[in-house]
Amino acid sequence: MESHDQLPQPQQRNKGTTFFRTCFNGLNVLSGVGILSMPYAVSQGGWLTLISLFVIAMLCWYTGLLLQRCMETHHEKKSYPGIAELAFGYKGNVVVSIFMYLELYLVAVEFLILEGDNLEKLFPKMGFRIGSLKMEGKNFFVLLTSLIVLPTTWLRSLGMLAYVSVGGVLASIFLVACVLWAGVVDGVGFYGKDQLLLNWEGFPTAISLFAFCYSGHTVFPTLSNSMKDRSQFSLVLLVCFVTSTITYGSMAILGYLMYGKYSKSQVTLNLPTRKISTKIAIFTTLINPLTKYAFIITPIANAMENTYPCLKRRTISILLRTVIMISTVSVALLLPFFGYIMTFIGAFLSVTLSMLFPCLCYLKINKAARRFGLELIVIVGVIVTGSFIGIMGTFTSVKQVVKHLVES
């Protein structure tokens, strides 16, 4: 695909997606499970961390523009790894691909943990026993979820699931509405205890979670190339980042006002169990992971099959996808820490893919950008900021995971 010649622009304008369709697709990319952890993020860092939410949104919007500029100079590059290969050769392609697939893999793990946590809240006494083997609670639901979605991972074509998964945007808005309903109608109120203005100790966790929410850069080149008029993509990015920031910010403010420092890693786990709004919120939350899990691990399986063609045989392909599923279940059972895993993804992977790599690729491809001036100062500022978030957030998340493993 990377070697195909670019079609002439007049022909391109008659094909592709419209501005509004691309906006919807972009919002669907940015609207994910990260919204559940927004109140938890603020509870870790305090009210002032909301400033960093807006700063990270602006930085990631800007780096999205940098990727677009890289593609404008070399139209034959239609993917993020292709841009990295243009900048740094084959090694650049490999490094970016590894980060992309590792991020997808850990997001798949997060999906299973999310399902286990929320289903346990709805059905706290479920489980089974086979001889001396006993499994209940969260672990039971992680295993049950994996068995339900396993057949979807065997599909070659995921076209039917695509129609279901596009509800991600509406689901995020609906979830905010359910939390607002719980606060106003169900009597939770907005008087969360021990609200902090700023907590430096939890600041790395907060900004890492915010970074996770804006990691859509791996898909931006595809969205741009799918448009009828690519010159409008910068406006698409603006609409997507502004809209998603409003949604994330609303959830952060509402959840923290309601639960204060007692906000859990997923806001649905705080909601009153017996209220209908809670059940609606949880079921809304559960739908997306169920339908998107196959989309998450399919690129990983496809990459392995393309590398080793012998894996493309139907039975071996099914076995490969099953092994990937089993591995994600194992990780989810071993490290059932939704908030800490998301912090690690945001700090180590999302920051690298959404802040650092776009800047480095742009500087490598565009020689004019290396001249001292405002643009270079901004890019260096993004790199320094991203490096700070990455180092502090990764260290904090790994420390938290190790601590809880030792304690358990």
Side-chain angles (χ1 to χ4, degrees):
M1 292 297 296
E2 293 294 343
S3 62
H4 288 180
D5 292 333
Q6 187 72 11
L7 294 174
Q9 190 64 21
Q11 290 179 318
Q12 285 262 335
R13 288 183 178 274
N14 295 325
K15 299 180 181 181
T17 56
T18 63
F19 172 82
F20 291 105
R21 177 69 180 273
T22 309
C23 285
F24 182 83
N25 290 338
L27 283 170
N28 200 31
V29 170
L30 293 177
S31 300
V33 296
I35 192 172
L36 297 172
S37 296
M38 288 298 94
Y40 174 73
V42 181
S43 73
Q44 293 297 296
W47 280 114
L48 289 182
T49 53
L50 285 173
I51 298 175
S52 64
L53 173 67
F54 301 121
V55 171
I56 291 173
M58 288 189 292
L59 296 183
C60 290
W61 166 73
Y62 178 72
T63 54
L65 294 179
L66 295 184
L67 285 180
Q68 182 193 18
R69 293 175 189 173
C70 291
M71 289 186 297
E72 286 175 350
T73 57
H74 296 80
H75 293 297
E76 73 279 3
K77 298 301 178 183
K78 300 180 179 180
S79 68
Y80 198 164
I83 294 172
E85 184 173 1
L86 177 66
F88 299 103
Y90 176 74
K91 292 182 179 180
N93 187 317
V94 171
V95 171
V96 167
S97 296
I98 290 174
F99 273 79
M100 286 173 54
Y101 296 134
L102 182 56
E103 183 180 47
L104 289 174
Y105 182 86
L106 291 179
V107 169
V109 172
E110 284 283 80
F111 281 171
L112 294 176
I113 299 174
L114 182 151
E115 296 284 328
D117 287 342
N118 284 276
L119 285 171
E120 183 186 29
K121 182 177 177 67
L122 288 179
F123 311 103
K125 297 182 180 180
M126 294 289 289
F128 72 90
R129 180 192 294 272
I130 301 178
S132 60
L133 176 63
K134 181 180 180 182
M135 185 167 289
E136 58 185 5
K138 182 191 304 183
N139 292 344
F140 167 73
F141 287 113
V142 168
L143 182 60
L144 179 63
T145 299
S146 67
L147 294 176
I148 292 173
V149 301
L150 179 59
T152 67
T153 66
W154 298 338
L155 299 175
R156 290 288 189 180
S157 173
L158 301 178
M160 292 300 295
L161 285 177
Y163 292 102
V164 182
S165 66
V166 294
V169 179
L170 297 178
S172 296
I173 298 174
F174 197 64
L175 185 59
V176 174
C178 287
V179 173
L180 178 61
W181 181 277
V184 176
V185 180
D186 290 339
V188 175
F190 301 97
Y191 310 100
K193 295 182 179 180
D194 301 322
Q195 297 179 24
L196 301 174
L197 189 62
L198 182 63
N199 176 26
W200 284 111
E201 185 177 351
F203 186 72
T205 298
I207 57 179
S208 299
L209 291 172
F210 293 152
F212 175 90
C213 295
Y214 294 105
S215 181
H217 291 62
T218 55
V219 185
F220 289 164
T222 303
L223 292 178
S224 176
N225 282 291
S226 71
M227 292 191 70
K228 289 181 179 179
D229 184 1
R230 295 178 187 172
S231 64
Q232 293 183 321
F233 187 67
S234 57
L235 184 57
V236 168
L237 285 179
L238 182 62
V239 170
C240 291
F241 275 92
V242 169
T243 305
S244 59
T245 301
I246 291 173
T247 306
Y248 287 134
S250 299
M251 178 62 84
I253 293 170
L254 286 175
Y256 192 50
L257 281 174
M258 292 165 64
Y259 299 107
K261 80 168 187 177
Y262 299 101
S263 299
K264 297 183 179 180
S265 63
Q266 303 159 58
V267 68
T268 48
L269 302 180
N270 280 113
L271 298 178
T273 306
R274 298 184 179 181
K275 299 295 183 179
I276 186 65
S277 62
T278 300
K279 291 180 170 59
I280 294 174
I282 290 179
F283 281 122
T284 301
T285 300
L286 295 176
I287 290 174
N288 273 336
L290 285 174
T291 58
K292 288 184 177 181
Y293 183 92
F295 285 102
I296 293 295
I297 70 167
T298 294
I300 302 173
N302 287 343
M304 297 176 69
E305 290 172 355
N306 291 332
T307 304
Y308 304 100
C310 62
L311 298 177
K312 290 185 178 181
R313 294 176 56 184
R314 184 57 179 160
T315 54
I316 298 180
S317 177
I318 291 176
L319 179 61
L320 173 64
R321 285 162 167 75
T322 303
V323 169
I324 295 174
M325 160 70 81
I326 294 173
S327 69
T328 58
V329 172
S330 301
V331 176
L333 296 177
L334 180 64
L335 304 173
F337 314 121
F338 184 86
Y340 300 154
I341 299 298
M342 184 176 289
T343 301
F344 176 80
I345 298 172
F348 182 62
L349 300 171
S350 299
V351 165
T352 304
L353 289 169
S354 60
M355 293 188 187
L356 302 183
F357 283 168
C359 291
L360 296 175
C361 289
Y362 181 71
L363 288 176
K364 182 68 174 179
I365 294 172
N366 191 343
K367 294 181 180 180
R370 299 175 218 164
R371 299 171 185 168
F372 184 78
L374 179 60
E375 183 179 50
L376 181 60
I377 293 174
V378 172
I379 292 175
V380 171
V382 175
I383 294 174
V384 171
T385 303
S387 300
F388 171 78
I389 297 173
I391 294 172
M392 295 298 297
T394 301
F395 174 78
T396 301
S397 61
V398 172
K399 179 181 176 181
Q400 290 170 330
V401 169
V402 171
K403 177 182 177 181
H404 279 75
L405 285 176
V406 171
E407 291 177 351
S408 60

